[in-house]
Amino acid sequence: MKALDRRCAALLVAAASLWAPQASARPDMELDVVAARTSLAGNYLAGRVAGAQRDAEAAATFFRAALRADPRNPELLERAFLLSVAEGDQRESMRLAERVVAADSTNRMAQLALATRALKAGSYARARGHLARSARGPLADLTISLLTAWSWLGAGQPARALETVDRLQGADFFGTFRDYHGALIADLAGRQAEASRRYQAAIASDGAALRVSQAAASFYARIGDRDNALKALADVEKAAPRHPLARAAREAVERGAEPDRPIASVAEGVAETLYGIGGALGRQGGEDLSMVYLQLALFVTPDHPMALVTLADLYDQLNQYAQAVKVYERVPASSPLKRNADIQRAIDLDRLDRTDEAKADLARLIEASPDDQEAIVALGNIERGREQFVEAAKTYTRAIELIGKRPAEPAPVAAPAPVAAPAPAA
């Protein structure tokens, strides 16, 4: 009997290792077709393999197929739900979230997903109900407090929103989240004096945080305080010289215009909360949970540039280049981050052996901006990597000739989240 069990287990593992790589490459076969032809145990094991490879799309498909064969299995249900969120399948993830909370009303991530859906729809009381039923913990406390505060602002009660933010207690870096979101809420509520005080507190806590500086500069420019607007950008420009967003904000202030307002609605505040926490998690090794938070942020605000770039960069870290390409394509053309996203997308196309397409895209970028040193260097790197040495030498020479004309412009693809401190344990 033991020999038979071992043989069955070996066959299942072999099947999983066979199917999962096919799912990653899958040039000729759709994932759902593969899953439909696989047994419950095979789908479970294939999902585990795909999950270990950080292929959320394949893992979600296999676990959903396994769940259809065993619909009462709580482990399969929760895995299928979380992977559906990470994959970005909004409809399926919300449907599964309802099933999860029906079985476990305190499930944190399922309640968070349903609260996010309610916040997007403007059902603020319902959102608070979902958040209140969630199990607690350090990360949950941070998330719940900030989202509850935004729900009160959406309900037309800014005083209660600020009281909720001010009650946030926890790790030292919670203070930056508290000051930053308190400033955003006061700003949207039209409480200028309070917003100014809270922006100053956030800058004092972490002046190098891009989103803090960007929002503060926008606020001060709107109230006609040019000096404080430029001062708000000083630290972040030291930490990330010529960052596209900081540079765009500074240039707007210098010409007497108002920088883009990063957060102009409750929905954007909700997305900013999820993006900020997700970005912090990703930098501290919590890639899986980071992906869930970033996808929820994009569920609320699909064109949030920094959430898109951060998610794409996360896919890059996980060697999921095809997924990264898709997300970089979604960065709005109006965003200062678009150029950086296009360059990184071309790099990923080359990694996918779509080199001709990558080079053509970079050539178009260079034609539009002949002094775009970063795009030129990226093209040279691709040519060198493909052993096109003559072409690479010409391209690098062109980049070198630009050095004396202007300083090299670092263009970080992953936009930093508001807080650089370690995120709490999930």
Side-chain angles (χ1 to χ4, degrees), residues 213 216-218 220-221 225-234 253:
S213 298
S218 172
Y220 285 116
D225 189 345
R226 182 177 180 273
D227 290 342
N228 267 325
L230 292 173
K231 190 181 298 183
L233 295 167
V253 173

Side-chain angles (χ1 to χ4, degrees), residues 200 203 212-237 246 249-250 252-254 257-259:
Q200 289 297 333
I203 291 171
V212 171
S213 298
Q214 187 187 9
S218 172
F219 167 75
Y220 285 116
R222 279 184 278 112
I223 65 173
D225 189 345
R226 182 177 180 273
D227 290 342
N228 267 325
L230 292 173
K231 190 181 298 183
L233 295 167
D235 286 344
V236 74
E237 290 202 293
R250 176 175 48 76
V253 173
E254 288 177 342
E258 294 179 4

Side-chain angles (χ1 to χ4, degrees), residues 195-280:
S196 179
R197 176 179 63 80
R198 291 174 183 267
Y199 277 126
Q200 289 297 333
I203 291 171
S205 175
D206 190 0
L210 174 62
R211 292 301 265 180
V212 171
S213 298
Q214 187 187 9
S218 172
F219 167 75
Y220 285 116
R222 279 184 278 112
I223 65 173
D225 189 345
R226 182 177 180 273
D227 290 342
N228 267 325
L230 292 173
K231 190 181 298 183
L233 295 167
D235 286 344
V236 74
E237 290 202 293
K238 289 178 184 177
R242 298 182 64 80
H243 188 287
L245 291 176
R247 186 186 67 226
R250 176 175 48 76
E251 290 175 351
V253 173
E254 288 177 342
R255 67 174 181 267
E258 294 179 4
D260 290 339
R261 188 171 186 167
I263 307 302
S265 67
V266 170
E268 290 178 357
V270 170
E272 185 74 2
T273 298
L274 297 165
Y275 150 72
I277 297 173

Side-chain angles (χ1 to χ4, degrees), residues 38-62:
T38 308
S39 67
L40 166 61
N43 276 317
Y44 174 78
L45 290 173
R48 290 289 299 271
V49 171
Q53 295 175 345
R54 302 297 180 83
D55 187 342
E57 182 181 358
T61 300
F62 287 123

Side-chain angles (χ1 to χ4, degrees), residues 109-408:
M109 298 312 299
Q111 291 290 11
L112 174 60
L114 296 175
T116 300
R117 182 177 66 178
L119 287 164
K120 180 180 181 179
S123 302
Y124 301 116
R126 180 179 298 175
R128 288 192 295 274
H130 287 299
L131 295 170
R133 288 190 288 273
S134 171
R136 306 302 288 239
L139 182 62
D141 289 345
L142 175 63
T143 308
I144 290 169
S145 294
L146 294 177
L147 292 183
T148 299
W150 281 106
S151 79
W152 283 120
L153 181 65
Q157 299 190 46
R160 195 157 185 179
L162 292 169
E163 289 172 4
T164 302
V165 168
D166 289 339
R167 287 197 299 269
L168 178 60
Q169 299 293 328
D172 291 342
F173 70 90
F174 279 28
T176 302
F177 276 104
R178 181 180 60 242
D179 294 332
Y180 173 55
H181 283 272
L184 293 174
I185 288 170
D187 190 358
L188 274 176
R191 301 187 175 196
Q192 290 187 356
E194 188 164 7
S196 179
R197 176 179 63 80
R198 291 174 183 267
Y199 277 126
Q200 289 297 333
I203 291 171
S205 175
D206 190 0
L210 174 62
R211 292 301 265 180
V212 171
S213 298
Q214 187 187 9
S218 172
F219 167 75
Y220 285 116
R222 279 184 278 112
I223 65 173
D225 189 345
R226 182 177 180 273
D227 290 342
N228 267 325
L230 292 173
K231 190 181 298 183
L233 295 167
D235 286 344
V236 74
E237 290 202 293
K238 289 178 184 177
R242 298 182 64 80
H243 188 287
L245 291 176
R247 186 186 67 226
R250 176 175 48 76
E251 290 175 351
V253 173
E254 288 177 342
R255 67 174 181 267
E258 294 179 4
D260 290 339
R261 188 171 186 167
I263 307 302
S265 67
V266 170
E268 290 178 357
V270 170
E272 185 74 2
T273 298
L274 297 165
Y275 150 72
I277 297 173
L281 286 166
R283 290 194 304 278
Q284 301 302 323
E287 291 90 353
D288 295 330
L289 197 54
S290 172
M291 198 174 294
V292 170
Y293 269 79
L294 291 170
Q295 290 285 15
L296 287 175
L298 293 169
F299 172 68
V300 181
T301 307
D303 59 351
H304 192 298
M306 296 184 72
L308 287 167
V309 169
T310 305
L311 178 61
D313 184 68
L314 184 58
Y315 281 129
D316 274 338
Q317 293 177 40
L318 301 176
N319 299 326
Q320 296 291 327
Y321 302 124
Q323 293 299 320
V325 165
K326 293 178 183 178
V327 178
Y328 283 129
E329 290 171 349
R330 293 171 54 190
V331 176
S334 59
S335 171
L337 294 173
K338 180 61 174 176
R339 168 182 157 275
N340 306 84
D342 286 343
I343 292 172
Q344 190 60 41
R345 175 183 176 276
I347 293 171
D348 286 341
L349 287 173
D350 177 59
R351 289 166 170 166
L352 293 168
D353 292 327
R354 295 163 61 181
T355 303
D356 290 343
E357 186 178 349
K359 291 172 63 177
D361 287 351
L362 289 172
R364 281 192 291 270
L365 289 173
I366 296 167
E367 183 180 2
S369 300
D371 62 345
D372 188 339
Q373 190 177 37
E374 186 188 358
I376 295 171
V377 171
L379 177 59
N381 289 342
I382 289 175
E383 291 167 338
R384 177 174 55 84
R386 296 293 172 174
E387 299 185 357
Q388 299 167 354
F389 299 122
V390 174
E391 294 89 339
K394 293 178 181 178
T395 303
Y396 284 138
T397 299
R398 183 175 179 180
I400 292 170
E401 290 172 349
L402 291 172
I403 292 176
K405 297 181 180 179
R406 66 177 181 83

Side-chain angles (χ1 to χ4, degrees), residues 24-36:
S24 296
R26 53 178 180 274
D28 303 315
M29 190 173 293
E30 293 295 331
L31 276 175
D32 54 356
V33 175
V34 175

Side-chain angles (χ1 to χ4, degrees), residues 40-41 43-68 70-89 92-93 96-97 99-101 107 109-110 288 292:
L40 166 61
N43 276 317
Y44 174 78
L45 290 173
R48 290 289 299 271
V49 171
Q53 295 175 345
R54 302 297 180 83
D55 187 342
E57 182 181 358
T61 300
F62 287 123
F63 274 111
R64 286 196 295 261
L67 180 63
R68 285 193 291 272
D70 187 5
R72 297 181 182 275
N73 188 307
E75 179 188 354
L76 293 177
L77 176 59
E78 185 164 16
R79 281 178 180 266
F81 156 66
L82 287 171
L83 287 164
S84 294
V85 179
E87 178 194 7
D89 188 336
E92 184 68 11
S93 61
L96 291 171
R99 292 178 59 184
V100 172
V101 298
N107 186 283
M109 298 312 299
D288 295 330
V292 170

